[in-house]
């Protein structure tokens, strides 16, 4: 369990070339403290030592330590292409040799501030050795030269470490995706709890003819695979004109057989004397639910709430079927932005995945005590 999580976390901090390599890289370059000072100073020169960027009329100098030899060719990549920014085309580049290194000076001659300054350096293979001040994000062979690629020459400290997180955030409207996920999952939890409490209490504490048959029928629906219901549910929602709406994401999942069964077991474990005493005092069924059943079943309610929230938050197939517009996508659908025909951006994908599971981990630790109590009392494994 720990290894896949570390792999995801480490990949989210890797450069594009590191993320594509088959050879395991346990400590990415962005996690090496020796590079942090350089990223800080380059960012400070360009305008921001923490988050980087390139301000108007600002200059930043990158050092390339090498013996005297052919001058390296430096360019700012032009779009279309990866790691390019059309606003950086007016960057002025000067290359000069100073004692033991090549000083590559970038100057922003435009009036705009841009977030990243991509650069490509071509250095001859005749050099016996060379050491860039900041390790490049990719090194490739290009004829007689080595091609050093930087996604951002002026990263700043946090901009350097969390580059993939920034790219993931700007690549897709994740604020909207998070809102959709939390909104629909929250409605499913509240609506599901309301319906499950009423049904479970009736099946546990209210005598009526055929109760055992009704409970058996409810349990029997657990045997129907969810995939079988996809087409009927879709046709029903299409006729109601609910496709690509919040109704489609929430309403079909409000009633939960699992929740009814879980809470019924809780209510059956409560002493019958409590309810008999309440009835003698004239309490209605609503009063018994509000003042006896609910306070004593909080661990079960939290357990069911966590399971429901996890199911709704991690859902992929159903939102994929019933939503069409980007505005209605959830976080799990949003992760597909980083998977295309040209390949996958694993760094940004893992960064977005890491952010998407943080609310789940945080919620679990907050409700850990009640969750364990609920699982233990209901016998769920």
């Amino acid at each position: 369990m720990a290894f896949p999580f570390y792999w995801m976390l480490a990949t989210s901090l890797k450069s594009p070339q590191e993320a594509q390599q088959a050879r395991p890289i346990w400590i990415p370059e962005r996690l090496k403290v020796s590079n942090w000072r350089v990223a800080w100073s380059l960012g400070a020169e360009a305008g921001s030592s923490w988050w980087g960027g390139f301000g108007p009329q600002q200059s930043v100098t990158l050092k390339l330590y090498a013996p005297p030899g052919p001058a390296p060719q430096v360019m700012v990549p032009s779009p279309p292409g990866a790691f390019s920014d059309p606003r950086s085309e007016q960057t002025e580049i000067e290359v000069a040799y100073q004692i033991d290194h090549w000083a590559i000076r970038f100057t922003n001659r435009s009036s705009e501030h841009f977030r990243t300054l991509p650069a490509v350096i071509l250095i001859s293979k005749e050099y016996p050795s060379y050491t860039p001040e900041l390790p490049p994000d990719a090194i490739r062979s290009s004829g007689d030269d080595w091609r050093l690629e930087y996604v951002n020459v002026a990263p700043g400290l946090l901009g350097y470490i969390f580059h993939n997180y920034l790219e993931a955030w700007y690549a897709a409207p994740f604020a909207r995706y998070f809102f959709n996920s939390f909104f629909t999952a929250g409605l499913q939890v509240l609506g599901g709890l309301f319906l499950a409490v009423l049904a479970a209490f009736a099946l546990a504490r209210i005598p009526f003819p055929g109760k055992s048959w009704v409970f058996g029928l409810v349990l029997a629906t657990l045997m129907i695979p969810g995939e079988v219901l996809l087409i009927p549910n879709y046709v029903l929602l299409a006729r109601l004109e609910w496709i690509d709406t919040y109704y489609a994401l929430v309403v079909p999942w409000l009633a939960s057989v699992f929740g009814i069964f879980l809470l019924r077991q809780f209510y059956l474990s409560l002493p019958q004397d409590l309810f008999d005493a309440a009835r003698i005092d004239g309490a209605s069924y609503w009063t018994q639910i509000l003042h006896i059943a609910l306070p004593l079943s909080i661990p079960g309610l939290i357990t069911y709430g966590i399971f429901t929230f996890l199911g709704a938050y991690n859902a992929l197939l159903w939102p994929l079927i019933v939503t069409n517009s980007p505005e209605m996508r959830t976080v799990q659908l949003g992760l597909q932005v980083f998977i295309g025909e040209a390949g996958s951006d694993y760094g940004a994908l893992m960064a977005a995945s890491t952010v998407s599971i943080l609310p789940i981990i945080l919620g679990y630790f907050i409700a850990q005590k009640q969750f364990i109590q609920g699982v233990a009392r209901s016998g769920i494994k």
Side-chain angles (χ1 to χ4, degrees):
M1 182 66 184
F3 176 76
F5 183 74
Y6 175 77
W7 182 87
M8 181 177 68
L9 189 61
T11 304
S12 70
L13 299 173
K14 291 178 181 175
S15 67
Q17 192 177 50
E18 288 178 327
Q20 296 287 345
Q21 287 184 356
R23 180 173 56 88
I25 297 176
W26 301 107
I27 302 178
E29 290 289 338
R30 297 179 190 278
L31 281 183
K32 295 181 178 176
V33 179
S34 57
N35 295 328
W36 293 358
R37 180 187 57 80
V38 180
W40 170 280
S41 61
L42 291 175
E45 289 182 47
S48 173
S49 55
W50 288 105
W51 292 104
F54 204 25
Q57 308 305 317
Q58 295 279 353
S59 296
V60 58
T61 302
L62 178 69
K63 298 176 182 177
L64 179 63
Y65 294 96
Q73 302 177 48
V74 185
M75 65 193 80
V76 174
S78 301
F83 317 130
S84 60
D85 188 335
R87 295 170 297 181
S88 62
E89 292 181 342
Q90 298 185 38
T91 301
E92 182 180 282
I93 301 174
E94 301 174 74
V95 181
Y97 193 78
Q98 298 179 357
I99 304 177
D100 61 346
H101 66 270
W102 288 99
I104 304 171
R105 183 181 178 87
F106 301 87
T107 303
N108 182 4
R109 293 303 184 191
S110 71
S111 58
E112 290 188 87
H113 177 281
F114 39 91
R115 187 168 54 85
T116 60
L117 174 60
V120 172
I121 301 174
L122 297 176
I123 184 168
S124 173
K125 292 181 179 178
E126 296 177 1
Y127 277 95
S129 64
Y130 63 90
T131 304
E133 182 182 19
L134 185 68
D137 296 297
I139 302 178
R140 310 180 197 281
S141 177
S142 177
D144 296 331
D145 300 317
W146 292 111
R147 179 185 173 96
L148 314 183
E149 298 179 354
Y150 289 89
V151 297
N152 189 9
V153 177
L157 178 57
L158 297 180
Y160 179 68
I161 299 174
F162 300 108
H163 170 78
N164 288 323
Y165 290 85
L166 290 175
E167 293 302 310
W169 184 260
Y170 285 109
F174 271 94
R176 178 73 182 187
Y177 296 162
F178 273 110
F179 171 78
N180 289 339
S181 290
F182 280 104
F183 182 67
T184 57
L187 288 180
Q188 287 187 39
V189 170
L190 295 178
L193 281 173
F194 178 74
L195 296 177
V197 165
L198 296 183
F201 185 83
L203 292 172
R205 293 300 176 184
I206 300 178
F208 60 88
K211 186 169 71 173
S212 60
W213 285 96
V214 172
F215 181 62
L217 184 62
V218 171
L219 286 184
T221 59
L222 285 174
M223 301 179 186
I224 303 176
E227 289 76 7
V228 175
L229 302 176
L230 287 179
I231 294 178
N233 283 339
Y234 181 84
V235 172
L236 176 60
L237 294 177
R239 292 181 177 178
L240 291 173
E241 298 182 352
W242 282 3
I243 298 299
D244 206 30
T245 66
Y246 288 118
Y247 296 115
L249 291 171
V250 175
V251 173
W253 308 104
L254 288 179
S256 169
V257 177
F258 167 74
I260 295 172
F261 174 76
L262 176 69
L263 295 179
R264 177 182 176 273
Q265 299 305 108
F266 263 86
Y267 296 149
L268 287 176
S269 67
L270 300 177
Q272 180 62 33
D273 294 344
L274 292 175
F275 298 95
D276 292 339
R279 293 179 62 185
I280 292 174
D281 291 339
S284 64
Y285 287 128
W286 277 109
T287 303
Q288 294 176 40
I289 293 175
L290 294 176
H291 296 283
I292 299 176
L294 287 182
L296 294 176
S297 61
I298 289 178
L301 296 175
I302 292 178
T303 301
Y304 171 63
I306 291 176
F307 276 118
T308 303
F309 185 86
L310 288 176
Y313 186 81
N314 292 325
L316 174 63
L317 183 58
W318 183 249
L320 181 64
I321 293 175
V322 299
T323 60
N324 300 320
S325 62
E327 291 76 15
M328 295 303 301
R329 287 176 181 167
T330 59
V331 169
Q332 308 305 329
L333 281 181
L335 297 179
Q336 293 186 329
V337 172
F338 307 104
I339 303 174
E341 295 180 356
S344 301
D345 186 350
Y346 288 111
L349 176 61
M350 292 300 106
S353 299
T354 302
V355 173
S356 70
I357 67 172
L358 287 181
I360 302 297
I361 296 176
L362 182 63
Y364 173 76
F365 281 111
I366 292 176
Q368 184 181 17
K369 181 180 178 181
Q370 287 78 10
F371 179 74
I372 294 175
Q373 289 179 356
V375 172
R377 292 185 61 179
S378 61
I380 299 174
K381 295 182 179 179

